[in-house]
Amino acid sequence: MWIYYGVGILTGVISHLLFVYFFNTKSFSIRQTLTRLIACYVAFYVLIYYVLGPWLWLHFRFNPRDSRHSICCETPADYGASNYEALQLNGDDTAVIAGWYIPPTQQPGKIIVLIHGSGYDRRGTDFYARILIKQGYGILMYDLRNHGESSGSANTFNRLDKMQSDLGRVLIYLQSEKHIEPQRIGIVGISLGGFATLNLPTDIINRIGPLWLDGIRSDNFGVYSAENNFINTAKQLFDSQSRLFALLLTSEPIAARPQSFRQVFPLIARARIQLVASGLDEQERATNENFIPYLSDTMALWIIPNAWHIGGRVDAKEEYEQRMIKFFGDYL
């Protein structure tokens, strides 16, 4: 809590000094008073919003929450798998990506990668694993970096860059070690797992099989809104300042600002994509509806009316299961 007190005291001192500086004369006109008052507030706003604000944001949000923990008391055997392998894959840095590989039974050479959401681990995709294992597909489920039993560092600016790189390593493993053809690899991405998937290079997306993406709640992280207004301009300046401070204050790489998904979708010429969104989460519904003009005829959007974020598998369980089985049955 000391940081809050320190910032509060510093803000108060700076505010006092600004007022003393601008109002240090005993005689001035109303116009001079207004001019100095406006200048004081502008200076105060700039200081707080573009100096202290970005610094505080970096202090509290630069490093995502550490979600690493042990995986206990559940294995793919609980999901219906007759056998499985525990995985430890090296990332492109010192990261080690942990997961499970379940070989196919009735769908030879067909593998579906399951990617969980923020704060969870591979067990968060158990709903999908149970259904797809029963259908005979091979499954690879893994912990995102800094989640579950996967290690590896990441910061707010580069986490998706690193997560898509980790997913690329998973795809390489399937192709080189399990001899699975790229077009026979499907992906289920849940929330953050969907973001990691759509941040893959589009040439890789165009080579692999169908993608089932549930819970894309916003456009790509760090993307600017297309609207040209004061609020968006202020957000862009704040983001630019945060990136500048991050470059000055850390030795970690700061990834370039990603493309909007509205730019990504038109570049995906081949892959089948099923977007799933909640109808009760207004932001998620509006975000996905805004994607519609950018989707090709190989992509579809399903908005589940009575579901919250990634809740369709509960609120529309039977339809969800049937749609997903048909989707992978048709396109994988």
Side-chain angles (χ1 to χ4, degrees), residues 147-164:
H147 287 71
E149 294 180 334
S150 290
S151 62
S153 64
N155 61 55
T156 298
F157 295 118
N158 72 14
R159 64 173 178 161
L160 285 175
D161 194 53
K162 290 198 171 188
M163 285 178 179
Q164 64 86 7

Side-chain angles (χ1 to χ4, degrees), residues 61-319:
R61 299 295 299 276
F62 182 69
N63 294 308
R65 184 180 66 182
D66 189 343
S67 297
R68 288 175 294 175
H69 51 262
S70 62
I71 302 296
C72 168
C73 313
E74 238 176 80
T75 72
D78 297 300
Y79 311 148
S82 56
N83 63 82
Y84 69 94
E85 301 172 26
L87 299 180
Q88 294 271 309
L89 304 179
N90 294 325
D92 59 356
D93 48 17
T94 58
V96 176
I97 305 303
W100 291 317
Y101 171 75
I102 301 101
T105 54
Q106 304 167 43
Q107 304 281 353
K110 296 182 180 181
I111 304 293
I112 300 174
V113 179
L114 308 182
I115 316 173
H116 62 83
S118 178
Y120 293 91
D121 58 57
R122 72 193 89 151
R123 295 171 299 179
T125 56
D126 66 320
F127 170 82
Y128 306 92
R130 294 174 196 275
I131 295 169
L132 297 170
I133 288 172
K134 188 176 180 181
Q135 295 299 311
Y137 291 105
I139 300 295
L140 192 152
M141 48 202 310
Y142 71 97
D143 301 329
L144 291 167
R145 74 165 48 216
N146 205 34
H147 287 71
E149 294 180 334
S150 290
S151 62
S153 64
N155 61 55
T156 298
F157 295 118
N158 72 14
R159 64 173 178 161
L160 285 175
D161 194 53
K162 290 198 171 188
M163 285 178 179
Q164 64 86 7
S165 178
D166 295 337
L167 175 53
R169 187 57 58 100
V170 167
L171 298 176
I172 290 172
Y173 164 80
L174 288 173
Q175 294 172 66
S176 61
E177 298 296 324
K178 300 301 178 182
H179 309 291
I180 307 297
E181 297 177 3
Q183 65 271 23
R184 291 188 166 225
I185 301 174
I187 295 177
V188 172
I190 307 303
S191 193
L192 183 58
F195 280 87
T197 303
L198 283 179
N199 276 280
L200 282 169
T202 52
D203 63 322
I204 292 179
I205 294 178
N206 281 319
R207 289 202 301 269
I208 60 178
L211 314 177
W212 180 278
L213 307 176
D214 187 346
I216 303 295
R217 194 168 180 269
S218 66
D219 203 342
N220 214 355
F221 297 137
V223 167
Y224 295 153
S225 170
E227 297 179 51
N228 187 16
N229 55 40
F230 175 77
I231 293 177
N232 285 327
T233 300
K235 286 181 178 179
Q236 291 176 25
L237 289 172
F238 186 92
D239 180 73
S240 296
Q241 285 296 97
S242 300
R243 287 177 174 273
L244 175 62
F245 285 3
L247 286 169
L248 296 174
L249 298 176
T250 181
S251 59
E252 293 189 52
I254 306 300
R257 191 174 293 108
Q259 285 185 304
S260 164
F261 290 146
R262 288 173 292 188
Q263 296 172 288
V264 171
F265 285 129
L267 300 177
I268 302 173
R270 178 186 169 278
R272 292 281 177 173
I273 295 179
Q274 175 66 67
L275 296 176
V276 182
S278 73
L280 296 180
D281 186 319
E282 293 185 8
Q283 178 181 330
E284 184 171 320
R285 185 182 68 248
T287 294
N288 282 268
E289 288 174 342
N290 288 335
F291 290 150
I292 291 174
Y294 304 92
L295 303 180
S296 72
D297 57 3
T298 64
M299 306 174 192
L301 169 63
W302 176 30
I303 296 178
I304 305 175
N306 299 315
W308 290 102
H309 179 60
I310 67 172
R313 53 189 172 177
V314 176
D315 299 294
K317 185 175 182 297
E318 285 189 19
E319 185 179 4

